[in-house]
Amino acid sequence: MCEWESRLAAWLDRELTQDEDIELELHVSRCAQCRSRAEAYERTSRAFDAYCDAVTLAFARQKVSSSKWAAVAAAVAALAVWALLTARPRAPITKPAPLPHVTAPTRSALAREVPPLEPPRSSPREPSFINRASLSRVQTPNAATPARIQGGRFLLPEPAVEIDIPADALLPPGAAPAGTNFLVDFSVAPDGSAQAIRLTPQLTGLDRRAAQP
Amino acid sequence: MTEDSLPLALPLSRLGAKNREANTLYEELRKPLLRYLLCLGMSSDQAQDVVQDAFLSLQRHLASGGSQENIRSWLFRVAHNRARNQQTSYERRFGAPLGSAVDAIADRESPERAVLEKEKLRRLGEAIKTLTQTERECLLLRAGGLRYREIGEVLAIPTSSVGDTVERAIRKLAEKCNV
């Protein structure tokens, strides 16, 4: 074994001093064994680089692949949430009451993209009543259907009034989490009385936190 | 030992005031850092997290008046130590078949050449598995463009040991692979 062989890699990497570099270069030009070994080291270094590139490429591809699956999973999850939200049962009114007056939609109603309310129908409708049996999860055949979609817009099934009431107005301070509101919706009977009153808690504070930078 | 490593010492005020220098540093070293971490066996997500953490640490280091010398080896050292803390083993990476990645590289060549290239990479992968951890890390850092002195700083070993380790590792690979 040539005494210079142990420094060939450092010579290829230009890690030697200038004097050592010149001396070894002169030696390599005359020593066939060192020249051959130096060439093998150089090829090996290039192959190692190619191998590292292949490793990087392989795992970059896996990253793209997993990103695609993540997007698909997110889309499926969003679809499931949408389905759950739209399938929520509305007030269990078995026989809907006619709308006596056009009431201005509340802010929350506007948020649901409620279209303008239809004018009262000419034909009189029977007085509405609450079928208490339908309050359970087992609905009667005439139970009110949930919100439906028409032309890409959500439509509430029946004319209703909705009011947002802060939790502090109904409960003692601290009884409900901060930012909790209650959505009260009800129908108005022909005699002016409220029918089918429903109270739904809403965590409006979550939206505010999300809006903060 | 030559001193021709990249002059990456940046005045703190310039780094803080002008994002261009910081961006240049980031663009220059992000890919080598990522490649090094991936080859150490980290997942793509882990590697990217570690790179981001390393650059954040660099900002804090400079802001607290830390040394501005040898920024490149400093970044590699931080990334290396974090990778060591997180990773269980990188045997799986160098031991795992590269599959389509090897195909992609080999496909650039003619069919006959492609077969040879695939075989060469396969043999190299087998040979790399026989290296010690320090030998692999030295070669990886060398492939990332670091000088022996910088490799020594990253791995906390003397520069002379780096030279010996690189020489030994290259000789092993050359003898086993005969590329």
Side-chain angles (χ1 to χ4, degrees):
Chain A
M1 178 178 169
C2 182
E3 60 174 325
W4 292 93
E5 264 189 32
S6 62
R7 313 187 80 177
L8 284 175
W11 175 67
L12 286 172
D13 290 339
R14 301 186 182 279
E15 291 282 353
L16 300 177
T17 63
Q18 193 173 6
D19 289 344
E20 290 172 328
D21 191 81
I22 293 171
E23 200 173 2
L24 193 52
E25 190 161 356
L26 189 63
H27 171 76
V28 169
S29 67
R30 289 186 296 213
C31 176
Q33 186 184 353
C34 282
R35 193 164 55 248
S36 170
R37 192 165 281 269
E39 287 169 357
Y41 284 5
E42 201 167 0
R43 287 195 302 272
T44 304
S45 297
R46 282 201 299 269
F48 187 85
D49 271 353
Y51 195 93
C52 290
D53 286 340
V55 169
T56 307
L57 183 61
F59 283 85
R61 285 184 177 189
Q62 281 189 3
K63 170 69 175 174
V64 171
S65 176
S66 61
S67 298
K68 283 180 183 173
W69 281 113
V72 171
V76 170
L79 206 59
V81 170
W82 174 82
L84 281 173
L85 289 175
T86 55
R88 192 178 65 174
R90 290 288 298 166
I93 302 172
T94 53
K95 292 186 178 179
L99 184 67
H101 304 290
V102 176
T103 55
T106 63
R107 193 186 308 174
S108 60
L110 286 173
R112 293 184 184 193
E113 299 185 20
V114 180
L117 295 172
E118 296 174 5
R121 299 175 184 177
S122 56
S123 60
R125 300 171 68 178
E126 294 180 9
S128 67
F129 62 93
I130 299 175
N131 183 351
R132 297 187 66 85
S134 69
L135 289 174
S136 65
R137 298 295 293 177
V138 180
Q139 301 288 331
T140 62
N142 290 331
T145 56
R148 63 192 185 279
I149 299 173
Q150 189 176 74
R153 295 168 66 87
F154 288 94
L155 301 176
L156 291 176
E158 297 297 333
V161 178
E162 293 182 340
I163 302 172
D164 273 328
I165 303 176
D168 291 341
L170 295 176
L171 301 170
T180 303
N181 277 12
F182 284 94
L183 178 67
V184 182
D185 60 350
F186 56 90
S187 296
V188 181
D191 61 357
S193 63
Q195 300 284 341
I197 302 171
R198 191 176 61 165
L199 204 63
T200 309
Q202 290 190 325
L203 280 173
T204 56
L206 289 176
D207 293 334
R208 286 199 294 272
R209 277 197 292 274
Q212 287 175 355
Chain B
M1 186 65 54
T2 58
E3 293 293 335
D4 56 348
S5 57
L6 282 176
L8 292 177
L10 300 172
L12 175 59
S13 57
R14 292 179 63 200
L15 186 64
K18 297 182 179 179
N19 283 332
R20 203 174 64 178
E21 281 85 358
N23 287 339
T24 302
L25 190 65
Y26 181 76
E27 289 301 321
E28 184 178 347
L29 294 178
R30 187 179 65 87
K31 283 184 180 176
L33 274 170
L34 272 176
R35 189 170 91 146
Y36 175 65
L37 295 170
L38 287 172
C39 290
L40 279 184
M42 305 196 82
S43 70
S44 179
D45 288 338
Q46 284 177 323
Q48 296 199 28
D49 286 347
V50 168
V51 170
Q52 286 187 1
D53 282 350
F55 277 97
L56 287 175
S57 297
L58 174 64
Q59 279 194 330
R60 285 195 292 268
H61 169 75
L62 295 176
S64 64
S67 169
Q68 298 173 29
E69 299 294 324
N70 306 321
I71 295 296
R72 183 164 64 175
S73 59
W74 190 95
L75 271 172
F76 268 89
R77 186 167 69 248
V78 169
H80 174 85
N81 290 336
R82 295 197 176 199
R84 276 272 180 89
N85 291 339
Q86 287 191 18
Q87 109 192 85
T88 54
S89 168
Y90 58 67
E91 295 289 336
R92 58 191 166 90
R93 182 61 44 87
F94 272 123
L98 292 175
S100 59
V102 173
D103 291 342
I105 287 187
D107 285 347
R108 298 172 195 159
E109 313 288 343
S110 63
E112 299 81 9
R113 183 82 179 154
V115 173
L116 292 175
E117 287 293 317
K118 285 181 189 178
E119 176 60 18
K120 187 172 76 176
L121 288 177
R122 189 194 63 75
R123 278 190 281 118
L124 186 61
E126 291 297 316
I128 289 171
K129 284 196 286 186
T130 67
L131 299 179
T132 66
Q133 183 168 323
T134 306
E135 287 169 348
R136 285 182 213 179
E137 288 169 351
C138 279
L139 287 189
L140 285 173
L141 291 167
R142 173 176 174 264
L146 269 66
R147 312 300 303 180
Y148 287 6
R149 176 182 50 79
E150 295 172 311
I151 295 172
E153 288 172 1
V154 173
L155 301 179
I157 57 177
T159 305
S160 58
S161 296
V162 174
D164 294 342
T165 307
V166 168
E167 177 77 32
R168 190 169 56 249
I170 285 283
R171 188 171 65 245
K172 279 186 189 176
L173 294 184
E175 288 173 354
K176 287 182 189 301
C177 299
N178 192 25
V179 290

